[in-house]
Amino acid sequence: MARDGYVVPVDPQASLKKKTAVSRSWILLDSTGAGTILDVDKYAIMHRVQIHARDLRILDPLLSYPSTVLGRERAIVLNLEHIKAIITAEEVLLRDPLDDNVIPIVEELRRRLPPVNAIRQGQRDGKEPLDGQNDVEEDESPFEFRALEVALEAICSFLDARTRELETATYPALDELTSKVSGYYLFVSWFS
């Protein structure tokens, strides 16, 4: 019994062509607070921080993932609203560094990431401290914890501000609603 069908010729060049990955804009902040803008694809990020594609996928803005903090062997992967970051022991990679919501986080990371000892050494050497570095708390936590703290504080502040905006818009509507509804009306509507 012979099968009737079509034979599709295989293009030998098609199998050799590699799908090109889209490069994304990232900022790399090291432990001194120095930043470098990177335009790299996901494969370069995966190789640099040694995480799997499934972990990097949660940072994709085209996919819908809930807010997530993943702890991996060599990295912490953050997806918190507009903060999409990968934190390692030596550096922070933050996605979309030119986004209006991300710029304050980058500035805060630059201010708080350098170790306190390095700031004090710079002051002893006669160097001017950067803006706000003379009020740095005595915190010698590991680099990745300081970076995680900045990210969590930033998202909490953002969500707090959004909550206040919603309350400002919601309270007048609730006050109007309560003025129109009486206990008697609720009682009658419940039993009818």
Side-chain angles (χ1 to χ4, degrees):
M1 186 188 229
R3 289 189 176 183
D4 291 335
Y6 295 99
V7 176
V8 179
V10 176
D11 182 11
Q13 296 296 350
S15 63
L16 296 177
K17 291 180 185 176
K18 182 180 177 183
K19 291 182 180 179
T20 57
V22 177
S23 69
R24 304 272 187 207
S25 181
W26 296 78
I27 187 165
L28 172 72
L29 295 165
D30 63 13
S31 60
T32 64
T36 307
I37 300 286
L38 304 173
D39 281 323
V40 293
D41 63 1
K42 65 182 178 182
Y43 299 107
I45 295 293
M46 289 172 15
H47 180 70
R48 180 179 193 100
V49 296
Q50 298 178 1
I51 61 173
H52 297 285
R54 69 174 181 264
D55 297 334
L56 194 58
R57 198 172 297 127
I58 70 164
L59 302 179
D60 192 342
L62 301 176
L63 301 175
S64 176
Y65 280 96
S67 293
T68 307
V69 178
L70 294 178
R72 296 297 184 232
E73 185 177 338
R74 297 186 182 185
I76 301 170
V77 183
L78 299 174
N79 178 12
L80 303 170
E81 297 287 323
H82 55 273
I83 301 173
K84 300 185 183 315
I86 302 170
I87 302 170
T88 67
E90 298 88 25
E91 59 193 19
V92 176
L93 285 157
L94 195 62
R95 188 159 185 184
D96 299 327
L98 302 178
D99 185 318
D100 291 338
N101 292 321
V102 177
I103 291 172
I105 299 161
V106 172
E107 292 170 358
E108 187 67 12
L109 284 168
R110 283 186 173 151
R111 186 181 77 79
R112 291 181 45 190
L113 286 184
V116 175
N117 292 338
I119 296 168
R120 286 196 188 125
Q121 182 64 34
Q123 289 175 348
R124 276 190 236 126
D125 294 343
K127 296 178 184 172
E128 280 292 314
L130 296 174
D131 291 338
Q133 283 189 346
N134 23 352
D135 62 348
V136 174
E137 298 175 9
E138 296 279 334
D139 185 14
E140 283 299 319
S141 300
F143 172 81
E144 54 265 46
F145 290 157
R146 288 183 283 135
L148 181 61
E149 180 183 26
V150 169
L152 292 173
E153 285 178 3
I155 199 62
C156 286
S157 298
F158 172 77
L159 292 174
D160 188 44
R162 294 283 308 261
T163 303
R164 281 195 216 123
E165 289 174 13
L166 289 173
E167 286 175 348
T168 304
T170 306
Y171 282 148
L174 287 174
D175 289 340
E176 183 180 333
L177 181 65
T178 55
S179 69
K180 292 181 179 178
V181 176
S182 67
Y184 175 75
Y185 176 74
L186 288 174
F187 181 76
V188 171
S189 65
W190 178 260
F191 289 106
S192 52

